[in-house]
């Protein structure tokens, strides 16, 4: 699991972020990008020594300046739930790809390709009348 | 020995951060820049006056910038160690 996918899963949830300068920001995660830049809402900022507080409605934190993030424990389970269906979907869509190999067991699909086709037909031809399947 | 962090996924690891903290937890994930997911983690605060204080933290993402060392925790040795009797000078932050 990637730290950044855990972070994006945590969207909408409260979290604590400590910056490299020691200040901490408590707020609800609105958005996070692939640089770990973060926007928070309903923020309480605490100074390094914990003796001063600021109420901030909304703020944007550059990912660069983050030391660590503390997020609710249950988020880690939500990531797995969301990752698995994506994998399944990929597999499914993959199996729908390509043609042929289903009904006739020769492995050649119906239609285009194979030998034959429009070989030798002139340009002026209207394009109809060529053999359809793999010619045999 | 591990040549990559992937060998330690779901194992107990110990992280020493650039600000001199020691955080112990289960490695749940990591990425190219050593950002790390630590589950059920706690911080071990060392001092000369008292035994090791363990502060429970929960689920953490530690940014790679802030990590100095990562190591696998020897569970057997850890179970044998009585942290209340350990006295140690806290680590100094990394000087850049």
């Amino acid at each position: 699991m990637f730290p950044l996918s855990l972070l994006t899963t945590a969207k909408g949830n409260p979290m604590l972020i400590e910056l490299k300068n020691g200040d901490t920001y408590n707020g609800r995660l609105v958005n996070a990008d692939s640089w770990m830049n973060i926007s928070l809402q309903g923020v309480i900022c605490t100074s390094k020594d914990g003796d001063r507080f600021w109420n901030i409605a909304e703020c944007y934190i550059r990912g660069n300046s983050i030391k660590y993030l503390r997020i609710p424990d249950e988020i880690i389970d939500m990531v797995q739930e969301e990752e698995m269906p994506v994998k399944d979907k990929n597999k499914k869509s993959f199996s729908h790809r390509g043609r042929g190999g289903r009904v006739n067991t020769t492995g050649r699909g119906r239609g285009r390709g194979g030998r034959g086709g429009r070989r030798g037909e002139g340009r002026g031809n209207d394009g109809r009348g060529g053999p359809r399947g793999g010619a045999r | 020995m591990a040549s990559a962090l992937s060998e330690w996924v779901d194992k107990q690891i110990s992280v020493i951060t650039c600000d001199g903290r020691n955080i112990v937890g289960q490695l749940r994930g990591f990425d190219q820049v050593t950002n790390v997911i630590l589950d059920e983690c706690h911080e071990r605060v060392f001092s000369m006056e008292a035994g090791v204080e363990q502060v429970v933290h929960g689920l953490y993402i530690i940014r790679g910038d802030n990590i100095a060392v990562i190591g696998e925790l020897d569970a057997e040795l850890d179970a044998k160690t009585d942290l209340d009797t350990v006295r140690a000078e806290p680590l100094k932050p990394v000087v850049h």
Side-chain angles (χ1 to χ4, degrees), chain B residues 44 74-86:
Chain B
R44 293 184 174 171
D74 186 335
E76 210 175 298
L77 187 65
D78 197 54
K80 268 193 268 177
T81 313
D82 181 12
L83 288 173
D84 292 336
T85 64
V86 173

PDB file of all heavy atoms in Angstrom, chain B residues 44 74-86:
ATOM      1  N   ARG B  44       9.018   5.905  21.530  1.00  0.00           N
ATOM      2  CA  ARG B  44       9.781   5.593  22.741  1.00  0.00           C
ATOM      3  C   ARG B  44      10.618   6.811  23.103  1.00  0.00           C
ATOM      4  O   ARG B  44      11.501   7.206  22.341  1.00  0.00           O
ATOM      5  CB  ARG B  44      10.663   4.371  22.511  1.00  0.00           C
ATOM      6  CG  ARG B  44       9.814   3.125  22.329  1.00  0.00           C
ATOM      7  CD  ARG B  44      10.635   1.882  22.204  1.00  0.00           C
ATOM      8  NE  ARG B  44       9.756   0.713  22.183  1.00  0.00           N
ATOM      9  CZ  ARG B  44      10.151  -0.524  21.917  1.00  0.00           C
ATOM     10  NH1 ARG B  44      11.433  -0.752  21.653  1.00  0.00           N
ATOM     11  NH2 ARG B  44       9.288  -1.516  21.918  1.00  0.00           N
ATOM     12  N   ASP B  74      13.768  -6.623  16.585  1.00  0.00           N
ATOM     13  CA  ASP B  74      13.953  -8.009  17.017  1.00  0.00           C
ATOM     14  C   ASP B  74      12.936  -8.300  18.122  1.00  0.00           C
ATOM     15  O   ASP B  74      13.115  -7.916  19.283  1.00  0.00           O
ATOM     16  CB  ASP B  74      15.389  -8.184  17.533  1.00  0.00           C
ATOM     17  CG  ASP B  74      15.701  -9.632  17.874  1.00  0.00           C
ATOM     18  OD1 ASP B  74      14.745 -10.385  18.169  1.00  0.00           O
ATOM     19  OD2 ASP B  74      16.885  -9.998  17.852  1.00  0.00           O
ATOM     20  N   ALA B  75      11.838  -8.971  17.766  1.00  0.00           N
ATOM     21  CA  ALA B  75      10.715  -9.164  18.688  1.00  0.00           C
ATOM     22  C   ALA B  75      11.148  -9.901  19.951  1.00  0.00           C
ATOM     23  O   ALA B  75      10.728  -9.569  21.059  1.00  0.00           O
ATOM     24  CB  ALA B  75       9.593  -9.913  17.979  1.00  0.00           C
ATOM     25  N   GLU B  76      12.012 -10.891  19.762  1.00  0.00           N
ATOM     26  CA  GLU B  76      12.478 -11.706  20.894  1.00  0.00           C
ATOM     27  C   GLU B  76      13.261 -10.861  21.897  1.00  0.00           C
ATOM     28  O   GLU B  76      12.986 -10.864  23.098  1.00  0.00           O
ATOM     29  CB  GLU B  76      13.374 -12.824  20.345  1.00  0.00           C
ATOM     30  CG  GLU B  76      13.351 -14.099  21.158  1.00  0.00           C
ATOM     31  CD  GLU B  76      14.178 -15.170  20.461  1.00  0.00           C
ATOM     32  OE1 GLU B  76      13.824 -15.549  19.320  1.00  0.00           O
ATOM     33  OE2 GLU B  76      15.180 -15.590  21.060  1.00  0.00           O
ATOM     34  N   LEU B  77      14.190 -10.108  21.349  1.00  0.00           N
ATOM     35  CA  LEU B  77      15.023  -9.247  22.189  1.00  0.00           C
ATOM     36  C   LEU B  77      14.179  -8.156  22.844  1.00  0.00           C
ATOM     37  O   LEU B  77      14.370  -7.810  24.012  1.00  0.00           O
ATOM     38  CB  LEU B  77      16.131  -8.628  21.333  1.00  0.00           C
ATOM     39  CG  LEU B  77      17.199  -7.820  22.061  1.00  0.00           C
ATOM     40  CD1 LEU B  77      18.010  -8.724  22.975  1.00  0.00           C
ATOM     41  CD2 LEU B  77      18.106  -7.128  21.062  1.00  0.00           C
ATOM     42  N   ASP B  78      13.230  -7.661  22.078  1.00  0.00           N
ATOM     43  CA  ASP B  78      12.380  -6.589  22.568  1.00  0.00           C
ATOM     44  C   ASP B  78      11.530  -7.071  23.745  1.00  0.00           C
ATOM     45  O   ASP B  78      11.316  -6.345  24.719  1.00  0.00           O
ATOM     46  CB  ASP B  78      11.488  -6.092  21.433  1.00  0.00           C
ATOM     47  CG  ASP B  78      10.880  -4.737  21.747  1.00  0.00           C
ATOM     48  OD1 ASP B  78      11.657  -3.812  22.065  1.00  0.00           O
ATOM     49  OD2 ASP B  78       9.645  -4.610  21.688  1.00  0.00           O
ATOM     50  N   ALA B  79      11.048  -8.318  23.647  1.00  0.00           N
ATOM     51  CA  ALA B  79      10.223  -8.883  24.717  1.00  0.00           C
ATOM     52  C   ALA B  79      11.049  -9.074  25.984  1.00  0.00           C
ATOM     53  O   ALA B  79      10.540  -8.957  27.097  1.00  0.00           O
ATOM     54  CB  ALA B  79       9.625 -10.210  24.260  1.00  0.00           C
ATOM     55  N   LYS B  80      12.337  -9.373  25.803  1.00  0.00           N
ATOM     56  CA  LYS B  80      13.220  -9.625  26.945  1.00  0.00           C
ATOM     57  C   LYS B  80      13.631  -8.329  27.654  1.00  0.00           C
ATOM     58  O   LYS B  80      13.981  -8.345  28.818  1.00  0.00           O
ATOM     59  CB  LYS B  80      14.477 -10.362  26.463  1.00  0.00           C
ATOM     60  CG  LYS B  80      14.336 -11.878  26.546  1.00  0.00           C
ATOM     61  CD  LYS B  80      15.685 -12.542  26.369  1.00  0.00           C
ATOM     62  CE  LYS B  80      15.954 -12.886  24.918  1.00  0.00           C
ATOM     63  NZ  LYS B  80      17.261 -13.462  24.662  1.00  0.00           N
ATOM     64  N   THR B  81      13.601  -7.232  26.898  1.00  0.00           N
ATOM     65  CA  THR B  81      14.100  -5.972  27.459  1.00  0.00           C
ATOM     66  C   THR B  81      13.048  -5.322  28.359  1.00  0.00           C
ATOM     67  O   THR B  81      11.899  -5.164  27.953  1.00  0.00           O
ATOM     68  CB  THR B  81      14.448  -4.997  26.315  1.00  0.00           C
ATOM     69  OG1 THR B  81      15.205  -5.685  25.336  1.00  0.00           O
ATOM     70  CG2 THR B  81      15.241  -3.814  26.821  1.00  0.00           C
ATOM     71  N   ASP B  82      13.465  -4.981  29.560  1.00  0.00           N
ATOM     72  CA  ASP B  82      12.571  -4.243  30.437  1.00  0.00           C
ATOM     73  C   ASP B  82      12.841  -2.753  30.247  1.00  0.00           C
ATOM     74  O   ASP B  82      13.797  -2.196  30.774  1.00  0.00           O
ATOM     75  CB  ASP B  82      12.826  -4.660  31.898  1.00  0.00           C
ATOM     76  CG  ASP B  82      11.887  -3.923  32.845  1.00  0.00           C
ATOM     77  OD1 ASP B  82      10.927  -3.293  32.340  1.00  0.00           O
ATOM     78  OD2 ASP B  82      12.112  -3.980  34.061  1.00  0.00           O
ATOM     79  N   LEU B  83      11.968  -2.133  29.471  1.00  0.00           N
ATOM     80  CA  LEU B  83      12.212  -0.738  29.080  1.00  0.00           C
ATOM     81  C   LEU B  83      12.182   0.213  30.277  1.00  0.00           C
ATOM     82  O   LEU B  83      12.775   1.292  30.226  1.00  0.00           O
ATOM     83  CB  LEU B  83      11.186  -0.310  28.036  1.00  0.00           C
ATOM     84  CG  LEU B  83      11.374  -0.922  26.637  1.00  0.00           C
ATOM     85  CD1 LEU B  83      10.204  -0.578  25.729  1.00  0.00           C
ATOM     86  CD2 LEU B  83      12.664  -0.434  25.997  1.00  0.00           C
ATOM     87  N   ASP B  84      11.526  -0.223  31.381  1.00  0.00           N
ATOM     88  CA  ASP B  84      11.453   0.657  32.556  1.00  0.00           C
ATOM     89  C   ASP B  84      12.820   0.866  33.199  1.00  0.00           C
ATOM     90  O   ASP B  84      13.043   1.854  33.898  1.00  0.00           O
ATOM     91  CB  ASP B  84      10.497   0.058  33.597  1.00  0.00           C
ATOM     92  CG  ASP B  84       9.060   0.073  33.103  1.00  0.00           C
ATOM     93  OD1 ASP B  84       8.766   0.930  32.235  1.00  0.00           O
ATOM     94  OD2 ASP B  84       8.255  -0.753  33.558  1.00  0.00           O
ATOM     95  N   THR B  85      13.717  -0.080  32.949  1.00  0.00           N
ATOM     96  CA  THR B  85      15.038   0.027  33.574  1.00  0.00           C
ATOM     97  C   THR B  85      16.067   0.678  32.648  1.00  0.00           C
ATOM     98  O   THR B  85      17.193   0.925  33.073  1.00  0.00           O
ATOM     99  CB  THR B  85      15.551  -1.368  33.966  1.00  0.00           C
ATOM    100  OG1 THR B  85      15.719  -2.131  32.769  1.00  0.00           O
ATOM    101  CG2 THR B  85      14.569  -2.080  34.869  1.00  0.00           C
ATOM    102  N   VAL B  86      15.662   0.925  31.428  1.00  0.00           N
ATOM    103  CA  VAL B  86      16.627   1.470  30.459  1.00  0.00           C
ATOM    104  C   VAL B  86      16.748   2.982  30.642  1.00  0.00           C
ATOM    105  O   VAL B  86      15.754   3.705  30.678  1.00  0.00           O
ATOM    106  CB  VAL B  86      16.181   1.152  29.014  1.00  0.00           C
ATOM    107  CG1 VAL B  86      17.080   1.851  28.007  1.00  0.00           C
ATOM    108  CG2 VAL B  86      16.199  -0.343  28.765  1.00  0.00           C
TER     109      VAL B  86
END
